[in-house]
Amino acid sequence: CVHLNRNTFKTWVCPSLSYLWPTVGYSDQWDDLNKRFSPPLTAKDVTYICPYIGALRGTLTVTNYRLFFKCTDREPVFVLDLPLGVVSRVEKIGGASSRGEVSYGLVCKDIRNLRFAHKQMEDSLRKSIFEVLMKFAFPVSNGLPIFAFEYGQVYPENGWKVYDAQAEYKRQGLPNESWRITKVNDHYELCDTYPSTLVVPVNISDEELKRVAAFRAKGRIPVLSWIHPESQATVTRCSQPMVGVNGKRSKDDEKYLQAIMDANAQSHKLFIFDARPSVNAAANKMKGGGYESEDAYQNAELVFLDIHNIHVMRESLRKLKEVVYPNIEESHWLSNLESTHWLEHIKLILAGALRIADKVESGKTSVVVHCSDGWDRTAQLTSLAMLMLDGHYRTIRGFQVLLEKEWLSFGHRFQLRIGHGDKNHTDADRSPVFLQFIDCVWQMTRQFPAAFEFNEYFLVTTLDHLYSCLFGTFLCNSEQQRVKEVRAKTVSLWAYINSQLEEFTNPLYVNYSNHVLFPVVSMRHLELWVGYYIRWNPRMRPQEPVHQRYKELLAKRAELQKRVEELQREVTNRSASSERAGSPTRSITPVQTFV
Amino acid sequence: MLSSLGSGGGKTAKPSFVSYVTPEEIKSEKEPYKKENQPDLLPGEVVFCSACPVLKYSQDDMSQRGVFGTLLCTNFRVSFVSDEVQVEETCKLFKNKLYGENDIPLACVDNIYGGYEDKKKLITGGLLKNKYPSKIIVHCKDLRVFQFSLTYSKEEDAKKLCFTGVLDHNNVVMKTYLRSSSIDNNAVCFVEMQRKERTMLFDCLEDWTQDMKRTKGNCRLVTENSSFELSQKLPQFFIVPLNVTDEDLVKFQGNGLPMWCWSHHSGCALFKTASLPLMLTAVAHNHLYSVKTEDLSDTLPTIQDIQLSYNKFKQFFLIDNTTEFWMSDMKWFSSLENCGWLDMIRQCLLKAVEVVECLEKENTNVLIMEESGSDLCCVISSLVQLMLDPHYRTLLGFQSLVQKEWVAGGHAFLDRSNQLHLKEKVESQSPVFLLFLECVWQLHQQHGPAFQFSETYLTVLSDSVHVPVFATFLFNNDSHRANVLRAESPSSQRGPLNCPSVWDWSVQFDCRAQDLFTNPLYAQKTKQDRSQRKSHRPKHQRQLSLPSSAFKTPTKKGFFKDEADSLKKILGVKRISRWMLSPSSDFPPMSSIKEFYETWQAKPLDYHGMLLPCLDGPSIRVWMQRYLRWIHDVQILGGGPVAVLSKVSELLAEVQELRSELDRHARTVTSNHRGAIRTRAKTAPENLARSSVRLSSSFPFVTSRNWSFKPAIPTSMLQSLMMSEVAGDLASREDDGSEPETVV
């Protein structure tokens, strides 16, 4: 790993950082850094205006990775520690106040805003710490590298090896007599936003694939995401067909979809799920896009799933933030929540995935899923449907594979949607598409508390590092962009997670992998994810009494087991010393279900 | 331990009902019924009328398929007996012995609607005169919905059924039944009462003495009302402040007497009173601590408000068909808010927290009052005790609490539930007890491990209110109970009437079903905990052992001079009661409550210490098990809380197994038995885990076995929505803005 630009690296070690900085060999590293680099930028007498506690006076430190505020006046010591990656914008609020203070507001991507104030600099040439912060918070806009490229932590596992496309397809039983793995996109020539490894119907040649690519937006042809181990019904994903106002047709595309249908002997039908509302799908014709007409595609049934676009979702999250941060208006909480439509969107996405899973599982029918480009709503739908259908994706490593496959390799544009290190916070390409997906996963874990190997903390951690820029996992927009630099020079989030799996494991997990999970997509069962959206409110501290209690019981069991074994050994020794007689008797004791 | 409840007394209590139906009535019933088309009648239960064939729509099916059978009305229930042979194995686990899944106890009938062509009308006596409906829809108080089609049955039968049976339940039938219902006294109903650990019924002196002793209260036990000489409204026994004199008792006839509820370990106590606090000074005198008074009617909803709100709330769950359900799903949150039910729960919990703060933080006596003294006073006083006293979070403790505050406390169960469907009593109908159970459920879901009983227990308890068999819920107060039970006895050749207590759960459920009443997550206090607690609270121990006179001159709150006249005291009381809605109070109470909660929250949680609920918006939830259990479309198949509970039960069984094994080993080692080594007996514990994938979120009330494993897909996905306002143009925009954005 290359250590670049470390001159502003912080020099203190704070115990609270262990969350982001695992203790494995880190103290040595810090000592080393202390000697080599100059101290970080620190400002004293800064006031943090906490919406819950009030004004706190303390020391503010800014490094190239984080903002760190510490107030030692109170008991316990107040610490605020946030990666600069979560900062969406920094703004100066008003002018200098009567007390000669300037105030700064930090709008964060993780549903909070921070407000600081400090004395006006007497020397007008000296810059405020916040102006310096702007530089490191938005490295991309300032020509600096993203911190992930400088992060030098070594983990026992190489997280980049978690996902191997060939291995994953092999797990699914591919290639088989109907599906083949093609090398046509090895150098991202067919489609630069697709992965290099693609699974396509056996009887479609690479040449034909190229002609299909011409008819699909951005060349994103239908390819296999998942195949049902028994019925051979498949989930395939793609982008919209380039139908246009004149209703253009492509014989190759029609043949291709027929081939997908034929690959599944169980059904003589194919369902095409268009994630968009039909109005939007129709409007796309004006721009050359559109949807499959049922005349052109025999035996195919088109279903619109009514999921709105990235702009609607962004606006919904903005409203949600207003409702939950910093305080909740108790008397109108529910109607306020409803007015954000956030859960309504979650419901539509889950309902869409449910319909897909139902068609594949109950109807044994293959499905094709697309939206406009096939990298936002499509990713949400295929990955959620796969989570419902395949228990493997509900394990920790399986879930990592699911993200690597459906989101990262298939080109969900993380860089654009999150805007890593980019100061342009009004960018219309930003949207909480991935957050929505994780929210949907959380909703499923609520409904099936024993079906997922990972816990809530795993999901929150994943989202935290979506923004933190500590790991390379969520950088860039496509596999092609990532494969060059990122893999070589950054650490994967999975390296960090998999090196301390205990933290992220759901103690209640029951491996019933063969079971299909159909969540209930009624508002009655959907709830706002308090542990994520309202976690900054100290009154809403997440509680997992069940997990806690369960872990206690596990510990108790382990302790008792140990004692039983010890006693057994003792008894064995004694009886061995005396004469041997009798055979072990079995007895069945009445078991009470409570202690 | 719960098992003692069910397993008690080998022979299960078989209820027997004595009929006092007049001969004429019986004669009219003498029409021959086909034996096979009758439910298993309870002793004393009489069939009034029936109609056949009746088509019962199966609720879980959109396609309106149904089952043919006979619809009967008895003096206990409306019952549907299917023509199809019932598969016996369908989940016997949670079968109620008194009524089956197709039975509706008459008191459980909430409303009956008639289906006329495609209209649905609430059936009243007048409406039926002209034509009888082709279909009837029965909404039950336990939120079940039944739909019966009468089109196939004989018009005469159907008419009769509608008139005499289903409709007239609101007067004649119910009355007859209720007056005649009796459980055979010879059965071993109260065997469990002999045991050491039992539910205290607070119908005898000992229970009151014991409870006061347990909480180290120092008050006066009043026995003068044991035959209701003082007042019909007062309980047989009750406790008042020490210095309430005999003259006071006579003078006020029980009005405004501060009744002791519970004593805090600091010595201060909670009292409740009906009507004006005439005896305020008595409480003030009690320990010479200050007393805070709170008139609950100032801030809490009236019983009419509660009834109105619940009526709106329950409609969300009385679903006739799937389309209606998914339509209502779209405006779910705002409808929920508009009905105000959750807010009432929040208000009650908040009030209780305020009282807790006074007792716990300020160590002042608290007197809560309202006109009746037996509605919201019961809610608040029992919530306070649940929050402060871990004893009441055990199963028997909770039952004792309900007995103390609600049954002995004179909550008018009969009037509030209006089981007789009396017109003149409609105004006094109000689900106050349910509101209390809702509050308990909120505490339970926030701090599960603190409670020995389960969510299922609370749900069953809320249902049992509408089973008109239990003495617990049939009367308005002690004297009413005594009068009715005594009055009935002479006319009967049997002994005195003895309705069972609802706490005798074996009347309704067998032992295995009762196992579901315990919470496997309950963090039972270990011996270690107990000793730790002792060392933690040496101060309290010492204080408590002192006679109360020792702190009659409190040091820090000594602003009450001994010789202060009572007028001054009353004024003083008013001054410090910061809830009196006086806008001039120095600090807003909410901020104090917030601080109180946050201080408590900052400390490590002790399940055997004080419990406070979080009252912020998202923390107050809908009691899913109670309200959603019958709605097919929201059953989470293979999920729901049972998935966790079964896992925990399984682990607990293993721990238990290891413990007993350890004991065996210990015995073996000490007694040095030869060859008595046992290999670890891997007895698979009776658990739910094996089948938990097949269970659903409505466990144990509905089994998913009959249901197809198909997801419920919303039928109306049409966006009511949305995007009308700001988002209007956003919705039509392209995902990837091709037009360059202006950089800000």
Side-chain angles (χ1 to χ4, degrees), chain A residues 162-378:
Chain A
V162 162
Y163 176 60
D164 170 10
Q166 300 277 355
E168 165 58 16
Y169 288 122
K170 197 176 167 203
R171 186 190 70 84
Q172 294 189 21
L174 298 166
N176 62 14
E177 67 277 13
S178 311
W179 295 89
R180 68 183 179 98
I181 291 175
T182 174
K183 296 274 169 196
V184 71
N185 204 35
D186 246 7
H187 302 289
Y188 308 103
E189 281 159 343
L190 180 81
C191 172
D192 60 357
T193 57
Y194 258 11
S196 57
T197 307
L198 297 173
V199 177
V200 295
V202 142
N203 50 357
I204 302 288
S205 70
D206 284 357
E207 277 315 303
E208 282 171 299
L209 290 179
K210 284 174 190 162
R211 291 204 294 276
V212 173
F215 188 65
R216 290 278 165 179
K218 313 273 196 309
R220 295 169 68 92
I221 59 167
V223 291
L224 181 141
S225 275
W226 190 78
I227 184 162
H228 194 287
E230 280 145 32
S231 72
Q232 304 286 298
T234 54
V235 177
T236 46
R237 59 181 291 173
C238 57
S239 62
Q240 63 182 341
M242 299 308 280
V243 174
V245 269
N246 300 325
K248 213 169 80 185
R249 289 175 62 165
S250 159
K251 282 270 167 277
D252 295 298
D253 196 67
E254 287 158 25
K255 182 188 168 195
Y256 189 80
L257 259 58
Q258 184 66 39
I260 291 173
M261 194 185 80
D262 292 343
N264 170 19
Q266 303 261 0
S267 173
H268 300 292
K269 220 175 155 137
L270 182 72
F271 274 89
I272 302 172
F273 285 99
D274 189 327
R276 303 165 291 185
S278 56
V279 189
N280 296 45
N284 261 290
K285 286 186 177 174
M286 303 301 292
K287 292 163 193 158
Y291 51 88
E292 295 83 355
S293 75
E294 284 177 21
D295 298 335
Y297 298 85
Q298 298 287 312
N299 306 319
E301 191 175 326
L302 184 69
V303 179
F304 292 104
L305 295 176
D306 292 328
I307 300 168
H308 282 275
N309 67 25
I310 62 166
H311 311 291
V312 174
M313 302 310 188
R314 182 178 59 238
E315 177 62 14
S316 174
L317 183 65
R318 188 191 63 74
K319 283 188 190 157
L320 181 67
K321 187 172 173 177
E322 272 177 11
V323 170
V324 300
Y325 189 89
N327 287 304
I328 298 160
E329 198 204 327
E330 214 148 80
S331 51
H332 294 109
W333 158 247
L334 290 170
S335 51
N336 284 344
L337 179 63
E338 187 172 275
S339 72
T340 70
H341 297 300
W342 182 257
L343 286 176
E344 205 162 340
H345 294 309
I346 296 290
K347 172 183 164 180
L348 281 166
I349 295 165
L350 275 169
L354 183 67
R355 294 176 76 167
I356 293 168
D358 179 42
K359 276 285 168 286
V360 173
E361 175 68 25
S362 320
K364 297 179 176 170
T365 310
S366 292
V367 298
V368 173
V369 185
H370 71 74
C371 47
S372 296
D373 293 310
W375 50 42
D376 292 314
R377 287 168 274 197
T378 302

Side-chain angles (χ1 to χ4, degrees), chain A residues 280 284 287 306 308-312 315 319 328 330-335 337-338 341 343-345 347-348 351 354-355 358 362 372-373 375-377 413 417 424 426 428-429 446-450 507-510 512 515-516 518 520-527 530 534 537-541 543 545-546 549-550 553-554 556-557 560-561 563-564 567-568 570-571 574-575 579 581 584-589 591-595, chain B residues 1 3 316 325-326 328-334 336-337 342 346 446-447 449 518 520-524 594 597-598 601-602 607 614-619 621 624 628 633-640 643-644 647-648 651-662 664-665 669 672 674-675 677-683 685-686 693 709-714 717 719-723 725-726 730-731 733-736 741 744:
Chain A
N280 296 45
N284 261 290
K287 292 163 193 158
D306 292 328
H308 282 275
N309 67 25
I310 62 166
H311 311 291
V312 174
E315 177 62 14
K319 283 188 190 157
I328 298 160
E330 214 148 80
S331 51
H332 294 109
W333 158 247
L334 290 170
S335 51
L337 179 63
E338 187 172 275
H341 297 300
L343 286 176
E344 205 162 340
H345 294 309
K347 172 183 164 180
L348 281 166
L354 183 67
R355 294 176 76 167
D358 179 42
S362 320
S372 296
D373 293 310
W375 50 42
D376 292 314
R377 287 168 274 197
R413 308 205 292 170
R417 296 288 176 256
N424 183 14
T426 57
D429 272 326
R446 288 285 293 179
Q447 296 193 13
F448 303 96
L508 300 166
Y509 176 58
V510 185
Y512 37 67
H515 275 270
V516 177
F518 288 138
V520 172
V521 294
S522 158
M523 282 298 181
R524 268 81 160 177
H525 277 307
L526 299 183
E527 51 184 302
V530 170
I534 320 187
N537 186 335
R539 296 170 61 83
M540 302 298 291
R541 216 172 17 170
Q543 285 178 333
V546 177
R549 174 91 177 107
Y550 196 76
L553 281 172
L554 283 175
K556 185 100 222 160
R557 184 180 64 178
L560 287 170
Q561 261 164 359
R563 273 166 56 193
V564 166
L567 273 169
Q568 253 168 353
E570 197 180 327
V571 172
R574 282 197 197 189
S575 55
E579 60 177 307
T585 49
R586 271 175 172 274
S587 90
I588 292 161
T589 44
V591 176
Q592 286 173 300
T593 50
F594 47 86
V595 283
Chain B
M1 287 292 137
S3 68
F316 305 144
F325 172 81
W326 288 107
S328 65
D329 204 45
M330 297 202 271
K331 287 281 162 204
W332 166 242
F333 288 116
S334 49
L336 199 56
E337 181 176 296
L342 292 185
R346 178 180 293 117
Q446 288 188 23
H447 307 294
T518 43
L521 283 169
Y522 180 51
Q524 203 172 36
K594 256 190 162 150
Y597 176 77
E598 277 160 19
Q601 194 202 23
Y607 287 121
C614 178
L615 300 174
D616 292 40
S619 302
R621 295 157 193 268
M624 294 298 183
L628 295 183
D633 278 12
V634 286
Q635 298 321 319
I636 306 167
L637 296 174
V644 172
K647 193 86 202 295
V648 175
L651 186 57
L652 272 171
E654 280 176 49
V655 168
Q656 188 69 22
E657 163 86 356
L658 283 167
R659 279 221 177 99
S660 45
E661 192 158 347
L662 215 53
R664 281 199 305 271
H665 275 301
V669 171
N672 214 355
R674 263 191 296 174
I677 323 148
R678 293 200 184 92
T679 49
R680 261 179 59 199
K682 276 233 168 182
T683 47
E686 192 82 60
V693 283
F709 191 60
K710 248 186 99 55
I713 290 171
M717 293 298 291
Q719 295 290 290
S720 65
L721 266 187
M722 121 177 243
M723 317 300 118
E725 332 94 55
V726 200
L730 287 179
R733 260 169 77 179
E734 253 306 277
D735 263 8
D736 297 289
E741 291 288 326
V744 184

